[in-house]
Amino acid sequence: VQLQASGGGSVQTGGSLRLSCAASGSTLGNYAVGWFRQAPGKELEKIACISSSDGSTDYADSVKGRFTISRDDVKNTVYLQMSSLKPEDTAVYYCEPDCSRVRVRAKGSWGQGTLVTVSS
């Protein structure tokens, strides 16, 4: 399966964005999907994951209560609703058909990603 993230942009502190992760080549419902981000000069951070089985979710502490991951298997798409954005959320966001940060980081590249910029 190949995933493409989109929906990034520039917002002010406190604003919201919804990122989309569209799948092609396979049925996304067969995969757990993770959202990751990389800020300039920083390591790849796993921020959210949604399972393939029961739709259970988990979040990094840095985004818990502000971000919501969801999936629409009919549309073959996973979403990341981001609210109460902060400047420290500025990063390139990626989605992967894997929730293991270790495995995803080991890939070395993660598709095109989508840039989110939050200004103060």
Side-chain angles (χ1 to χ4, degrees):
V1 64
Q2 295 180 331
L3 304 185
Q4 177 63 56
S6 62
S10 296
V11 297
Q12 293 188 326
T13 297
S16 299
L17 282 173
R18 188 177 79 160
L19 305 185
S20 297
C21 174
S24 61
S26 186
T27 301
L28 191 58
N30 295 331
Y31 300 86
V33 176
W35 279 99
F36 300 80
R37 69 185 180 187
Q38 187 171 39
K42 295 192 176 182
E43 292 286 325
L44 187 71
E45 178 186 14
K46 173 186 165 183
I47 56 172
C49 173
I50 187 164
S51 75
S52 60
S53 55
D54 60 1
S56 58
T57 59
D58 69 82
Y59 300 91
D61 288 344
S62 58
V63 306
K64 198 171 294 183
R66 300 187 298 122
F67 291 12
T68 302
I69 187 172
S70 62
R71 65 191 307 153
D72 186 334
D73 290 338
V74 173
K75 294 184 178 180
N76 227 21
T77 302
V78 169
Y79 302 98
L80 186 70
Q81 178 67 47
M82 307 187 296
S83 302
S84 302
L85 284 162
K86 306 174 182 180
E88 51 264 45
D89 294 317
T90 295
V92 178
Y93 285 69
Y94 304 92
C95 56
E96 290 286 330
D98 196 335
C99 286
S100 165
R101 178 187 172 277
V102 172
R103 287 195 297 265
V104 170
R105 185 173 181 270
K107 287 177 57 177
S109 64
W110 313 295
Q112 187 171 351
T114 187
L115 176 63
V116 173
T117 303
V118 184
S119 58
S120 57

